[in-house]
Amino acid sequence: MTPVAILAAFCATMAAIAVWRLATDDRRDRVDVGSALTVVGITVLAVLWTALEEGWLTAAGRGTLGVVGACLVGAGIVMMVRYWDDPPEPNCS
């Protein structure tokens, strides 16, 4: 296993934790959603790097991973910046 594959596995673990916490937290806000999107996007880009190193995918597959990863990271950063100062939504339960 190459160091890049270890990085991708670590990122996948962190993405799973971020998504799990987002799904189970009662007091999540849009910044939490943005940070989860960013972590998942970084994971996709780490998988892309691994695919480039190992020669796994075709050019179309690598391009798709690159676009999806960049869009997820971009959307996550935009959400975090946009909603950073918004007060959290009240808990309705």
Side-chain angles (χ1 to χ4, degrees), residues 44-45 48 57-72:
V44 171
L45 292 175
L48 169 64
L57 299 173
T58 63
R62 291 189 297 257
T64 301
L65 277 178
V67 169
V68 168
C71 288
L72 286 171

Side-chain angles (χ1 to χ4, degrees), residues 2 9 11 16 18 21 27-28 35 38 43 45 49 52 55 64 66 68 76:
T2 64
C11 289
R21 290 193 59 181
R27 300 182 61 210
R28 63 183 167 267
S35 63
T38 303
T43 301
L45 292 175
W49 189 9
L52 288 171
T64 301
V68 168

Side-chain angles (χ1 to χ4, degrees), residues 1-14 42-43 45-47 49-50:
M1 182 178 270
T2 64
V4 176
I6 294 171
L7 173 66
F10 174 76
C11 289
T13 303
M14 292 298 106
I42 290 170
T43 301
L45 292 175
V47 170
W49 189 9
T50 304

